[in-house]
Amino acid sequence: MGDPDGRQDVIALNPRAVVIMAGINDIAMNNGYIAHENILGNIVSMCELAKANGIEVGLCSVTPTSVFGWRKEISPAQPIRDLNKMLEAYATKAGIHFLNYYPALTDDKGGLPEKWSRDTCHPNLECYRTVMEPMVCEAIDKVLKTPKKKLHKAIPFK
């Protein structure tokens, strides 16, 4: 949500559901250091704003990366795992669906496998289409309790 309080980006659109995937730029310290508790607090605020406005929430894990090409001094693999544990605990406590991309996307170094990323950080189109899109479609169906005959389908990757 680019808008600081999410009102223009999500709430004003009045969707039935929102999928929130956030935190990686904070771990990269793109705007300076931010503690995990503050990252979590910001994400919790997004979730609570959505719920308060009748919007169902799906909360995603942070995708893995072993290096930020623009911030090589940061070792992000463990901080990502730590934040994901916090996100999952919050989602469980709040009754929010947690979409855990991490196990499906991580390699033995804690990054995205080479076939799914040019830089171990940003998923490529194949990763989005073959791994992430089917998972998010399933999550949206769970969040919205979609009837089987109306399930969302990922667009086949060509």
Side-chain angles (χ1 to χ4, degrees):
M1 297 194 296
D3 178 30
D5 67 5
R7 295 182 196 284
Q8 278 186 319
D9 288 356
V10 175
I11 296 168
L13 297 174
N14 196 30
R16 291 177 46 215
V18 63
V19 176
I20 297 173
M21 185 173 160
I24 192 69
N25 290 321
D26 292 328
I27 290 174
M29 295 189 248
N30 289 344
N31 292 310
Y33 173 78
I34 180 168
H36 275 46
E37 293 76 16
N38 293 32
I39 299 170
L40 178 65
N42 291 337
I43 295 169
V44 167
S45 293
M46 287 185 255
C47 293
E48 296 302 318
L49 269 170
K51 286 171 37 178
N53 284 277
I55 302 168
E56 298 292 334
V57 177
L59 179 59
C60 300
S61 65
V62 175
T63 55
T65 187
S66 57
V67 66
F68 296 117
W70 63 99
R71 300 292 304 266
K72 292 188 190 261
E73 70 277 11
I74 298 171
S75 298
Q78 189 59 50
I80 289 170
R81 286 190 288 271
D82 295 342
L83 181 58
N84 282 340
K85 286 179 188 173
M86 295 169 73
L87 292 170
E88 186 170 19
Y90 163 70
T92 299
K93 183 178 177 183
I96 293 173
H97 180 76
F98 184 66
L99 172 50
N100 195 356
Y101 286 125
Y102 193 86
L105 296 179
T106 191
D107 65 15
D108 59 351
K109 296 177 193 132
L112 281 168
E114 196 174 299
K115 70 178 184 173
W116 288 332
S117 176
R118 289 181 291 113
D119 60 5
T120 84
C121 180
H122 296 92
N124 62 23
L125 180 61
E126 181 180 5
C127 181
Y128 279 117
R129 298 294 292 278
T130 62
V131 180
M132 297 174 76
E133 187 178 359
M135 290 176 74
V136 79
C137 285
E138 183 180 329
I140 290 168
D141 289 335
K142 284 181 182 177
V143 166
L144 294 177
K145 298 172 182 68
T146 306
K148 286 191 189 282
K149 63 182 179 178
K150 293 186 177 185
L151 293 177
H152 294 86
K153 303 263 190 252
I155 299 167
F157 182 72
K158 295 178 184 176

